[in-house]
């Protein structure tokens, strides 16, 4: 190793240690989850599409295992297995994760923070952003673009609209997975009466049903057929698809709803300006979005109280990180002029711990740091 390379490595190690000390001083505990993890939680929460990115193996009992592709789920699982489960607790971590990334290295270091059990959600959200900015500063990266969004605002809008439940689920799913909503909204207004004839009987039986009834019907049909999945789809996924098709067959997405969603997704700017636009939209449309907007404004206040220049924050109602377990605040920090890849990214995921086995919902928020990207940002 050359003297320059050795000095660079030493400097990076020192900055990483300073980063961890920042989290420790903030009251977080060092988490060290095992590298080898059950594969099922990752597949369940991210879908089978993630399988091609995982490094998988099987133990002697037949359980499918993987090298951890991130640290959020392993830290959450360890928290749920501990005596602190359900109580407020915060953790930080730094370690290797393993994920196939094409031409990039499949093993790379990830740091981050996870906060569980805090009921003061707005304050906890603001703390995550503040700690993310401190992480960047620990590596000498002070000029960053702060990009934020809030899926809870979109969910509140969709919930307030008079839409079939299947449309509500579909729109939230598309938002979280970064599918082009504009394209999908247009398709939903046109895709009427185009279902295939062989499904007419099932679709007629499902027309107007809720998800529970649809799941029961499809489960019965598949049980009679002697199968548990078709083409890799689960019973639940097939039921959702049939229910969606029966709803689309009954009529297009109402024009007034389409116009309101498009107007909502056009709101962007500084948080205070965005809040004003949201209140105007809610008043014009006579929709009750007050609780979601109040939470948004409260979070902005806590950010300002932590010394964050809120006028430097780029908020957009259309911003999302592409993971369907987020339930509220989302953010990314990018190097100015440094492209689309984030240095730091995270958000609120209140539903995740229930899906991992918690008996009661547990509030959760956190962020991850891409150490190599942060190191390159400090060298820029």
């Amino acid at each position: 190793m050359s003297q320059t390379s050795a000095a660079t490595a030493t400097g990076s190690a020192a900055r990483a240690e300073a980063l961890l000390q920042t989290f420790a001083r903030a009251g977080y505990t060092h988490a060290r989850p095992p590298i080898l993890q059950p594969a099922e939680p990752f597949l369940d929460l991210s879908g089978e599409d993630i399988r091609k990115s995982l490094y998988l193996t099987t133990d002697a009992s037949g359980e499918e295992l993987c090298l951890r592709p991130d640290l959020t789920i392993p830290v959450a699982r360890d928290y749920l297995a501990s005596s602190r489960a359900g109580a407020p607790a915060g953790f930080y971590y730094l370690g290797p994760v393993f994920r196939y990334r094409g031409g990039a290295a499949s093993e790379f270091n990830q740091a981050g923070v996870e906060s569980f059990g805090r009921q003061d959600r707005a304050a906890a959200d603001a703390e995550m952003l503040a700690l993310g900015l401190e992480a960047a500063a620990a590596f000498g990266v002070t000029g960053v673009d702060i990009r934020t969004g809030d899926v809870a605002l979109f969910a509140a809008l969709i919930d307030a609209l008079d839409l079939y439940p299947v449309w509500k689920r579909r729109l939230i799913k598309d938002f979280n997975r970064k599918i082009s909503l504009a394209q999908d909204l247009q398709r939903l207004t046109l895709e009427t009466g185009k279902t295939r004839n062989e499904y007419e009987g099932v679709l007629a039986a499902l027309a107007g049903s809720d998800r529970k009834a649809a799941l029961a019907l499809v489960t019965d049909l598949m049980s009679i057929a002697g199968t548990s999945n078709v083409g890799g789809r689960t019973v639940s996924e097939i039921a959702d698809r049939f229910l969606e098709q029966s709803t689309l067959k009954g009529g297009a997405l109402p024009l007034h709803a389409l116009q309101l969603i498009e107007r909502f997704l056009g709101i962007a700017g500084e948080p205070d300006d965005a809040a004003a636009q949201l209140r105007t939209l809610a008043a014009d449309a006579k929709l009750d979005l007050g609780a979601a907007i109040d939470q948004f404004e409260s979070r902005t206040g806590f950010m300002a109280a932590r010394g964050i220049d809120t006028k430097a924050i780029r908020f957009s109602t259309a911003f999302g990180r592409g993971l369907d377990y987020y339930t509220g605040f989302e953010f990314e920090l990018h190097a100015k002029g440094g492209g689309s890849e984030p240095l730091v990214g995270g958000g609120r995921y209140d539903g995740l711990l229930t899906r991992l086995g918690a008996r009661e919902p547990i509030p959760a928020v956190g962020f991850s740091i891409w150490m190599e990207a942060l190191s390159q940002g400090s060298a820029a």
Side-chain angles (χ1 to χ4, degrees), residues 75-88:
V75 171
R77 291 182 69 251
D78 283 359
Y79 163 73
L80 288 176
S82 74
S83 60
R84 304 174 72 179

Side-chain angles (χ1 to χ4, degrees), residues 30-37 68 70-71 73-75 78 92-93:
H30 199 169
R32 299 177 177 85
I35 287 176
L36 197 61
Q37 293 281 324
R68 62 191 187 198
D70 69 30
L71 279 151
I73 290 175
V75 171
D78 283 359
Y92 67 90
Y93 51 82

Side-chain angles (χ1 to χ4, degrees), residues 263-279:
R263 178 179 169 186
F264 173 89
L265 292 172
I267 293 175
E270 299 172 12
D272 288 341
D273 291 343
Q277 295 178 61
L278 287 165
R279 291 201 182 277

Side-chain angles (χ1 to χ4, degrees), residues 114-144:
E114 311 297 340
S115 175
F116 305 121
R118 286 182 58 173
Q119 299 297 329
D120 55 341
R121 288 171 170 81
D125 290 349
E127 183 170 305
M128 292 303 105
L129 178 57
L131 287 173
L133 290 167
E134 288 184 35
F139 275 71
V141 182
T142 53
V144 294

Side-chain angles (χ1 to χ4, degrees), residues 149-161 163 167-176 181 185 260-262 264-265 278 289 292 315 317-319 327-328 330:
D150 189 346
V151 66
L153 287 167
F154 184 71
L157 172 74
I158 299 303
D159 188 57
L161 293 174
L163 298 175
W167 272 335
K168 293 183 178 184
R169 289 195 301 273
R170 169 68 172 273
L171 292 168
I172 293 294
K173 181 176 71 173
D174 284 0
F175 180 91
N176 280 334
L181 274 176
L185 287 171
L260 278 173
I261 293 170
E262 290 178 337
F264 173 89
L265 292 172
L278 287 165
L289 305 180
F315 172 81
T317 51
F319 176 85
T327 59
E330 300 180 58

Side-chain angles (χ1 to χ4, degrees), residues 129 132-133 136 141-148 308-315 319 330-345:
L129 178 57
L133 290 167
V141 182
T142 53
V144 294
D145 287 330
I146 307 172
R147 306 177 189 178
T148 69
I308 298 171
D309 179 8
T310 59
K311 291 187 179 300
I313 295 174
R314 295 166 53 191
F315 172 81
F319 176 85
E330 300 180 58
F331 75 94
E332 289 181 351
L333 305 182
H334 292 251
K336 287 190 178 296
S340 60
E341 294 301 314
L343 308 175
V344 180

Side-chain angles (χ1 to χ4, degrees), residues 85-105:
F91 303 91
Y92 67 90
Y93 51 82
L94 170 62
V97 294
F98 306 83
R99 192 185 312 156
Y100 178 74
R101 300 188 296 169

